[in-house]
Amino acid sequence: MDTEKTIKTPPCRTCKQNFEITDRDIAFYKKIEAPEPKDCYHCRQRRRQSYRNERHLYKDTCDLCKKSIISIYSEDKTFPVYCSDCWFGDGWDRMDYGQDYDPSRSFFDQWNDLWKKVPKLGLLTLGQMENSDYTHDAIRLTNCYLIFDGEQAKDCMYGETFYLTKDCADFLFLMKSELCYECTNCNDCYNLNYSQFCNNCNESAFLQDCTGCQNCLGCVNRHRAKFEIFNKQYSEEEYNEKIKQYGLHDYNNIQKFKQEFKKFVQSQPKKSTRGLQNENITGDNIHNSKDTFYSFDCADLRDCKYMTNCVMKSNDCMDVDIWGGMDRCYNCECVGEGAQNIIACYYVAFNVRDCYHSAFCMKSNHDLLGCVALIHKHHCILNKQYSEEEYTKLFAQIKAQMQKSGEWMEFFPIQTSAFKYNETVAQEYFPITKEQAAKWKIPWQEKDPAKYKPVDFTPPDTIAETDDSILKQILGCETCGKNYRLVSQELDLYRKKNIPVPHQCSDCRHTARMQLRNPRFLYKRKCSKSGEDLETTISPKRPEAILSPEEFVKEFF
Ligand SMILES: [Zn+2]
Ligand SMILES: [Zn+2]
Ligand SMILES: [Zn+2]
């Protein structure tokens, strides 16, 4: 393997832990004229993620057309929020907010003045949306409810990161699947429940790392198995009899089985890196990628590092979360679809190039610095138009000043995010407490006591015992105490699949699914079979034996 060479290990400015800068990193920084980072990869990512609220929605009014809308910005925000039609429309001029650059002030302070006043887009949804108001960051949905970050779903609820799903609920990273419930990182599956990291599995439940399995229960690392329970073969009759005995339509039986399955999973070896068709990569859940390091949940990457959730063809990028279809982008959150040389930007996409420190600039923009919400613009700084010549001159001046102040190519500060920290994805990957937030002067969303009223009601153990009156019932989450309700569409799905109603709120269910995934951190370990050196997300504290991808294939395929 063509590995990297560690050149230095400076302490991170934020978390104080030493982090690696390799020969490869330095070559990349030189190429894009970036200063070496002062924060470690995790602290850089945390800062970017603190700008992204993926799943907290609020009722609001569009500040332009006054229509009722759903929005990702909470009621106490101080900037205007527009509905999608108004925000993309011609009823306002983004250049009205333009500011002159003031060399006596910090650039980020000036950017924040602009950021605070420019209208924000309430919800990001694109393409035809039918009966799917409570969704965000999504394209082409029909009858969907509380699903986020994905494309083309029908009759789906409570999920995140998806593509082509139908009749599914409670999912995370689910692609091309139907009738799936509580599935995480599964592709091409049908009628699969409570499973993780499976491909092409049908009519099964409690599977992990299985491919092409059918009518299986509680299996791990199985390939094309049929009528197996805990990796043990049964006849069709025996299998059906056993399934009856487990009674997995009953809430209590499911909880018991979950514990049993967890123990079984820990007794089985694990593949050190999940993914297919890779060459010279480190990370996890990577597909069809080459010469790419320390990246997670990505596909089609070449010469990239520190990437997460980028699933469209990308080359020569570093430190980008979400999206893809880009070249030479660095330190960005949500950029893609024809993005070239986009640096330290948030939500900049669709045929854009040479943009720096800008947010929500879309559709054929180029040569922007510190802009917000521009569409089809070029040679602008802080939303002010310049000639190409003026732009080049002022750009060089600002760059030099930002290099001096240490702001150049850094992402916007956490403190100026439009969200409270615990509304954002940062809290999912890098959780902090209210006390820590106060200490670091990071905005924090307080719990609304009205949403946590005690409830004296436990949902029935089976869906057969559950009638429609439950739709009027306020439920209390068994984990966090938050009140939640069921929608009729989900009751229909539970009936169709004969599964009991959940006892936890959708946020706690999401957190539980997140916890079934490995952390985005690489440990240096050895393959349990061959002894070769590995980098893996499986902590040395985990009880499972780990196998290199090659040994894993030898053992299980
Ligand atoms: Zn750090
Ligand atoms: Zn409007
Ligand atoms: Zn809860």
Side-chain angles (χ1 to χ4, degrees):
M1 193 158 119
D2 176 17
T3 50
E4 299 177 278
K5 212 168 108 201
T6 305
I7 302 294
K8 49 180 101 168
T9 55
C12 166
R13 172 180 56 185
T14 305
C15 72
K16 315 291 180 218
Q17 303 221 21
N18 289 75
F19 68 101
E20 276 187 358
I21 296 181
T22 68
D23 51 347
R24 212 188 155 86
D25 300 343
I26 289 171
F28 181 83
Y29 300 139
K30 274 207 177 117
K31 189 158 56 184
I32 63 161
E33 295 176 46
E36 284 171 17
K38 295 176 205 72
D39 287 320
C40 72
Y41 154 64
H42 295 282
C43 290
R44 300 197 301 268
Q45 188 180 54
R46 168 206 289 256
R47 189 158 158 175
R48 296 191 300 268
Q49 287 179 339
S50 72
Y51 273 69
R52 197 158 64 88
N53 167 15
E54 195 64 55
R55 45 184 300 109
H56 297 275
L57 304 182
Y58 305 90
K59 282 198 171 119
D60 202 355
T61 307
C62 169
D63 287 302
L64 195 60
C65 73
K66 310 296 174 199
K67 199 169 75 179
S68 299
I69 54 167
I70 310 294
S71 150
I72 48 173
Y73 300 100
S74 59
E75 298 85 345
D76 56 354
K77 46 126 182 51
T78 51
F79 43 80
V81 173
Y82 288 179
C83 72
S84 186
D85 288 344
C86 289
W87 195 86
F88 282 103
D90 302 327
W92 63 294
D93 190 349
R94 297 134 208 277
M95 304 303 275
D96 285 349
Y97 300 87
Q99 290 173 198
D100 286 319
Y101 173 67
D102 176 356
S104 71
R105 293 179 63 205
S106 124
F107 185 83
F108 279 147
D109 280 352
Q110 296 179 64
W111 179 82
N112 188 35
D113 290 346
L114 177 69
W115 174 239
K116 275 194 307 208
K117 62 190 182 193
V118 177
K120 306 273 180 297
L121 174 60
L123 274 189
L124 189 86
T125 52
L126 298 166
Q128 178 110 11
M129 300 287 289
E130 259 178 78
N131 188 29
S132 303
D133 293 343
Y134 288 85
T135 58
H136 167 57
D137 201 0
I139 304 175
R140 288 167 66 192
L141 308 183
T142 309
N143 300 329
C144 291
Y145 181 66
L146 293 181
I147 64 172
F148 311 98
D149 182 28
E151 219 181 296
Q152 298 181 62
K154 196 167 177 276
D155 302 308
C156 289
M157 291 150 284
Y158 309 112
E160 197 169 301
T161 314
F162 56 91
Y163 173 65
L164 280 178
T165 48
K166 191 171 176 286
D167 276 322
C168 295
D170 286 81
F171 50 84
L172 184 61
F173 290 95
L174 182 65
M175 311 293 154
K176 293 187 263 177
S177 294
E178 195 174 332
L179 274 177
C180 292
Y181 180 68
E182 278 293 0
C183 288
T184 298
N185 289 78
C186 292
N187 302 307
D188 293 302
C189 292
Y190 182 84
N191 203 12
L192 182 67
N193 298 340
Y194 315 106
S195 296
Q196 299 95 39
F197 308 101
C198 291
N199 286 301
N200 197 13
C201 292
N202 303 329
E203 311 289 349
S204 298
F206 292 98
L207 304 185
Q208 200 176 96
D209 291 294
C210 289
T211 41
C213 292
Q214 235 185 80
N215 298 92
C216 287
L217 176 68
C219 291
V220 179
N221 299 333
R222 297 297 294 137
H223 180 55
R224 291 199 191 150
K226 227 173 161 179
F227 305 120
E228 288 193 6
I229 300 173
F230 291 119
N231 291 13
K232 198 177 152 205
Q233 184 70 63
Y234 291 91
S235 73
E236 186 173 352
E237 281 114 50
E238 287 168 334
Y239 176 85
N240 289 332
E241 190 48 42
K242 278 256 181 199
I243 291 288
K244 235 184 253 163
Q245 285 166 13
Y246 279 117
L248 292 176
H249 60 288
D250 181 289
Y251 184 80
N252 301 307
N253 295 343
I254 294 168
Q255 302 318 307
K256 228 166 72 194
F257 197 91
K258 260 185 196 165
Q259 291 310 315
E260 218 176 312
F261 182 59
K262 193 172 160 187
K263 267 194 218 143
F264 183 69
V265 165
Q266 290 178 354
S267 73
Q268 301 299 308
K270 264 192 157 61
K271 192 174 168 180
S272 62
T273 300
R274 289 179 169 118
L276 297 167
Q277 289 163 313
N278 295 314
E279 198 185 321
N280 195 28
I281 62 128
T282 61
D284 205 17
N285 298 315
I286 307 285
H287 303 283
N288 195 29
S289 295
K290 196 171 173 244
D291 300 319
T292 289
F293 305 99
Y294 224 109
S295 295
F296 305 91
D297 304 297
C298 292
D300 299 313
L301 303 185
R302 296 287 176 281
D303 298 307
C304 291
K305 194 172 175 185
Y306 297 133
M307 309 283 282
T308 64
N309 297 46
C310 288
V311 290
M312 293 168 75
K313 208 170 174 198
S314 300
N315 298 299
D316 212 12
C317 294
M318 209 195 253
D319 278 88
V320 182
D321 308 307
I322 311 281
W323 218 336
M326 56 202 172
D327 289 290
R328 211 184 274 195
C329 293
Y330 172 60
N331 205 12
C332 289
E333 189 79 0
C334 299
V335 296
E337 302 232 10
Q340 281 181 19
N341 198 39
I342 303 300
I343 312 286
C345 286
Y346 170 53
Y347 228 106
V348 170
F350 304 115
N351 301 318
V352 284
R353 64 175 167 82
D354 303 306
C355 296
Y356 297 77
H357 303 286
S358 294
F360 273 101
C361 292
M362 286 181 246
K363 300 182 184 172
S364 316
N365 289 298
H366 64 88
D367 295 284
L368 304 181
L369 171 59
C371 291
V372 178
L374 298 191
I375 292 179
H376 294 301
K377 290 283 176 194
H378 54 89
H379 300 107
C380 299
I381 295 173
L382 296 168
N383 282 28
K384 220 188 138 185
Q385 184 70 59
Y386 294 90
S387 72
E388 188 177 342
E389 205 187 338
E390 290 166 336
Y391 178 88
T392 309
K393 218 172 127 198
L394 187 53
F395 181 94
Q397 186 197 338
I398 296 175
K399 178 178 169 181
Q401 277 179 321
M402 288 179 81
Q403 280 170 331
K404 225 165 121 191
S405 68
E407 292 171 312
W408 185 243
M409 294 203 183
E410 295 235 324
F411 198 76
F412 312 112
I414 293 184
Q415 287 76 6
T416 50
S417 168
F419 304 110
K420 322 282 194 318
Y421 187 88
N422 51 340
E423 286 179 300
T424 69
V425 178
Q427 178 68 2
E428 294 182 25
Y429 286 95
F430 306 100
I432 59 170
T433 61
K434 188 179 152 179
E435 290 68 34
Q436 282 169 316
K439 200 173 129 198
W440 297 331
K441 296 191 174 59
I442 292 174
W444 188 258
Q445 177 84 292
E446 296 292 339
K447 260 188 189 177
D448 177 0
K451 290 179 182 156
Y452 289 83
K453 293 211 173 105
V455 174
D456 186 23
F457 176 84
T458 309
D461 291 333
T462 66
I463 198 71
E465 300 162 276
T466 310
D467 62 44
D468 284 358
S469 68
I470 198 162
L471 296 173
K472 294 198 185 84
Q473 180 70 46
I474 292 173
L475 306 168
C477 171
E478 280 182 359
T479 305
C480 74
K482 192 176 171 184
N483 300 128
Y484 66 105
R485 292 184 101 124
L486 304 183
V487 293
S488 64
Q489 192 185 345
E490 70 180 294
L491 199 56
D492 293 344
L493 186 68
Y494 301 149
R495 283 180 177 145
K496 203 161 162 182
K497 290 180 63 67
N498 196 17
I499 44 180
V501 305
H503 290 206
Q504 287 176 303
C505 74
S506 60
D507 285 337
C508 288
R509 274 138 56 198
H510 173 72
T511 304
R513 283 190 290 278
M514 288 288 289
Q515 282 165 355
L516 289 171
R517 293 162 45 83
N518 297 341
R520 284 173 170 175
F521 187 88
L522 293 180
Y523 302 92
K524 290 190 174 20
R525 296 188 62 183
K526 285 188 190 307
C527 171
S528 311
K529 265 256 152 71
S530 68
E532 74 174 283
D533 289 325
L534 297 172
E535 286 195 57
T536 175
T537 53
I538 305 163
S539 152
K541 289 181 191 145
R542 301 273 319 166
E544 296 94 339
I546 55 160
L547 297 178
S548 68
E550 296 74 31
E551 291 295 336
F552 186 87
V553 169
K554 272 193 228 161
E555 185 95 6
F556 294 105
F557 282 80

mmCIF file of all heavy atoms in Angstrom, residues 249-263:
data_model
loop_
_atom_site.group_PDB
_atom_site.id
_atom_site.type_symbol
_atom_site.label_atom_id
_atom_site.label_comp_id
_atom_site.label_asym_id
_atom_site.label_seq_id
_atom_site.Cartn_x
_atom_site.Cartn_y
_atom_site.Cartn_z
ATOM 1 N N HIS A 249 -43.173 -10.053 16.700
ATOM 2 C CA HIS A 249 -44.181 -9.009 16.516
ATOM 3 C C HIS A 249 -44.478 -8.341 17.863
ATOM 4 O O HIS A 249 -45.210 -7.370 17.930
ATOM 5 C CB HIS A 249 -45.472 -9.624 15.953
ATOM 6 C CG HIS A 249 -46.048 -10.675 16.857
ATOM 7 N ND1 HIS A 249 -45.487 -11.912 17.034
ATOM 8 C CD2 HIS A 249 -47.123 -10.629 17.682
ATOM 9 C CE1 HIS A 249 -46.193 -12.598 17.921
ATOM 10 N NE2 HIS A 249 -47.188 -11.840 18.324
ATOM 11 N N ASP A 250 -43.883 -8.871 18.933
ATOM 12 C CA ASP A 250 -44.160 -8.395 20.284
ATOM 13 C C ASP A 250 -42.994 -7.552 20.804
ATOM 14 O O ASP A 250 -41.824 -7.960 20.716
ATOM 15 C CB ASP A 250 -44.370 -9.614 21.199
ATOM 16 C CG ASP A 250 -44.701 -9.208 22.627
ATOM 17 O OD1 ASP A 250 -43.791 -8.699 23.330
ATOM 18 O OD2 ASP A 250 -45.856 -9.386 23.031
ATOM 19 N N TYR A 251 -43.294 -6.396 21.331
ATOM 20 C CA TYR A 251 -42.268 -5.437 21.755
ATOM 21 C C TYR A 251 -41.252 -6.060 22.723
ATOM 22 O O TYR A 251 -40.042 -5.892 22.566
ATOM 23 C CB TYR A 251 -42.941 -4.218 22.406
ATOM 24 C CG TYR A 251 -41.960 -3.145 22.769
ATOM 25 C CD1 TYR A 251 -41.488 -2.264 21.804
ATOM 26 C CD2 TYR A 251 -41.467 -3.019 24.075
ATOM 27 C CE1 TYR A 251 -40.559 -1.282 22.111
ATOM 28 C CE2 TYR A 251 -40.530 -2.040 24.398
ATOM 29 C CZ TYR A 251 -40.086 -1.181 23.415
ATOM 30 O OH TYR A 251 -39.161 -0.214 23.727
ATOM 31 N N ASN A 252 -41.739 -6.810 23.711
ATOM 32 C CA ASN A 252 -40.827 -7.380 24.711
ATOM 33 C C ASN A 252 -39.909 -8.433 24.109
ATOM 34 O O ASN A 252 -38.728 -8.517 24.454
ATOM 35 C CB ASN A 252 -41.623 -7.976 25.874
ATOM 36 C CG ASN A 252 -42.490 -6.914 26.520
ATOM 37 O OD1 ASN A 252 -41.990 -5.856 26.890
ATOM 38 N ND2 ASN A 252 -43.789 -7.179 26.594
ATOM 39 N N ASN A 253 -40.458 -9.246 23.209
ATOM 40 C CA ASN A 253 -39.628 -10.263 22.547
ATOM 41 C C ASN A 253 -38.535 -9.610 21.702
ATOM 42 O O ASN A 253 -37.416 -10.117 21.624
ATOM 43 C CB ASN A 253 -40.490 -11.165 21.663
ATOM 44 C CG ASN A 253 -41.467 -11.980 22.490
ATOM 45 O OD1 ASN A 253 -41.297 -12.111 23.706
ATOM 46 N ND2 ASN A 253 -42.506 -12.510 21.845
ATOM 47 N N ILE A 254 -38.883 -8.482 21.086
ATOM 48 C CA ILE A 254 -37.887 -7.780 20.255
ATOM 49 C C ILE A 254 -36.730 -7.286 21.129
ATOM 50 O O ILE A 254 -35.560 -7.463 20.778
ATOM 51 C CB ILE A 254 -38.537 -6.595 19.496
ATOM 52 C CG1 ILE A 254 -39.547 -7.117 18.476
ATOM 53 C CG2 ILE A 254 -37.488 -5.745 18.792
ATOM 54 C CD1 ILE A 254 -40.455 -6.050 17.886
ATOM 55 N N GLN A 255 -37.081 -6.708 22.290
ATOM 56 C CA GLN A 255 -36.023 -6.199 23.182
ATOM 57 C C GLN A 255 -35.108 -7.331 23.621
ATOM 58 O O GLN A 255 -33.883 -7.188 23.685
ATOM 59 C CB GLN A 255 -36.622 -5.498 24.415
ATOM 60 C CG GLN A 255 -37.552 -4.342 24.116
ATOM 61 C CD GLN A 255 -37.076 -3.438 22.995
ATOM 62 O OE1 GLN A 255 -35.951 -2.934 23.012
ATOM 63 N NE2 GLN A 255 -37.898 -3.264 21.973
ATOM 64 N N LYS A 256 -35.719 -8.491 23.932
ATOM 65 C CA LYS A 256 -34.938 -9.652 24.378
ATOM 66 C C LYS A 256 -34.029 -10.120 23.241
ATOM 67 O O LYS A 256 -32.842 -10.405 23.436
ATOM 68 C CB LYS A 256 -35.904 -10.788 24.778
ATOM 69 C CG LYS A 256 -35.554 -11.399 26.112
ATOM 70 C CD LYS A 256 -36.653 -12.257 26.677
ATOM 71 C CE LYS A 256 -36.812 -13.560 25.930
ATOM 72 N NZ LYS A 256 -38.082 -14.252 26.267
ATOM 73 N N PHE A 257 -34.592 -10.178 22.042
ATOM 74 C CA PHE A 257 -33.814 -10.669 20.894
ATOM 75 C C PHE A 257 -32.660 -9.719 20.581
ATOM 76 O O PHE A 257 -31.560 -10.155 20.234
ATOM 77 C CB PHE A 257 -34.709 -10.845 19.661
ATOM 78 C CG PHE A 257 -34.062 -11.702 18.613
ATOM 79 C CD1 PHE A 257 -34.262 -13.076 18.591
ATOM 80 C CD2 PHE A 257 -33.212 -11.142 17.671
ATOM 81 C CE1 PHE A 257 -33.622 -13.875 17.649
ATOM 82 C CE2 PHE A 257 -32.580 -11.933 16.730
ATOM 83 C CZ PHE A 257 -32.778 -13.297 16.711
ATOM 84 N N LYS A 258 -32.922 -8.411 20.725
ATOM 85 C CA LYS A 258 -31.873 -7.406 20.472
ATOM 86 C C LYS A 258 -30.633 -7.694 21.318
ATOM 87 O O LYS A 258 -29.506 -7.621 20.843
ATOM 88 C CB LYS A 258 -32.397 -6.001 20.836
ATOM 89 C CG LYS A 258 -32.851 -5.224 19.634
ATOM 90 C CD LYS A 258 -33.241 -3.796 20.004
ATOM 91 C CE LYS A 258 -34.051 -3.202 18.861
ATOM 92 N NZ LYS A 258 -34.777 -2.002 19.191
ATOM 93 N N GLN A 259 -30.850 -8.017 22.593
ATOM 94 C CA GLN A 259 -29.736 -8.296 23.501
ATOM 95 C C GLN A 259 -28.991 -9.551 23.069
ATOM 96 O O GLN A 259 -27.756 -9.597 23.063
ATOM 97 C CB GLN A 259 -30.254 -8.462 24.944
ATOM 98 C CG GLN A 259 -30.776 -7.172 25.559
ATOM 99 C CD GLN A 259 -29.792 -6.004 25.405
ATOM 100 O OE1 GLN A 259 -28.597 -6.141 25.639
ATOM 101 N NE2 GLN A 259 -30.292 -4.846 24.960
ATOM 102 N N GLU A 260 -29.762 -10.584 22.703
ATOM 103 C CA GLU A 260 -29.170 -11.846 22.276
ATOM 104 C C GLU A 260 -28.332 -11.634 21.007
ATOM 105 O O GLU A 260 -27.215 -12.151 20.877
ATOM 106 C CB GLU A 260 -30.315 -12.826 21.965
ATOM 107 C CG GLU A 260 -30.031 -14.248 22.385
ATOM 108 C CD GLU A 260 -31.251 -15.133 22.141
ATOM 109 O OE1 GLU A 260 -32.386 -14.737 22.537
ATOM 110 O OE2 GLU A 260 -31.080 -16.193 21.540
ATOM 111 N N PHE A 261 -28.884 -10.835 20.083
ATOM 112 C CA PHE A 261 -28.204 -10.579 18.815
ATOM 113 C C PHE A 261 -26.913 -9.777 19.051
ATOM 114 O O PHE A 261 -25.876 -10.055 18.447
ATOM 115 C CB PHE A 261 -29.144 -9.827 17.861
ATOM 116 C CG PHE A 261 -28.544 -9.552 16.511
ATOM 117 C CD1 PHE A 261 -28.108 -10.598 15.705
ATOM 118 C CD2 PHE A 261 -28.421 -8.253 16.031
ATOM 119 C CE1 PHE A 261 -27.548 -10.348 14.455
ATOM 120 C CE2 PHE A 261 -27.863 -7.998 14.787
ATOM 121 C CZ PHE A 261 -27.425 -9.048 14.002
ATOM 122 N N LYS A 262 -26.973 -8.832 19.973
ATOM 123 C CA LYS A 262 -25.797 -8.008 20.281
ATOM 124 C C LYS A 262 -24.640 -8.909 20.754
ATOM 125 O O LYS A 262 -23.494 -8.745 20.328
ATOM 126 C CB LYS A 262 -26.186 -7.012 21.378
ATOM 127 C CG LYS A 262 -25.183 -5.906 21.581
ATOM 128 C CD LYS A 262 -25.744 -4.877 22.548
ATOM 129 C CE LYS A 262 -24.623 -4.053 23.142
ATOM 130 N NZ LYS A 262 -25.107 -3.163 24.199
ATOM 131 N N LYS A 263 -24.976 -9.865 21.614
ATOM 132 C CA LYS A 263 -23.950 -10.799 22.111
ATOM 133 C C LYS A 263 -23.391 -11.627 20.963
ATOM 134 O O LYS A 263 -22.184 -11.854 20.868
ATOM 135 C CB LYS A 263 -24.575 -11.744 23.153
ATOM 136 C CG LYS A 263 -24.425 -11.227 24.553
ATOM 137 C CD LYS A 263 -24.744 -12.317 25.559
ATOM 138 C CE LYS A 263 -25.489 -11.704 26.734
ATOM 139 N NZ LYS A 263 -26.532 -12.569 27.268
#
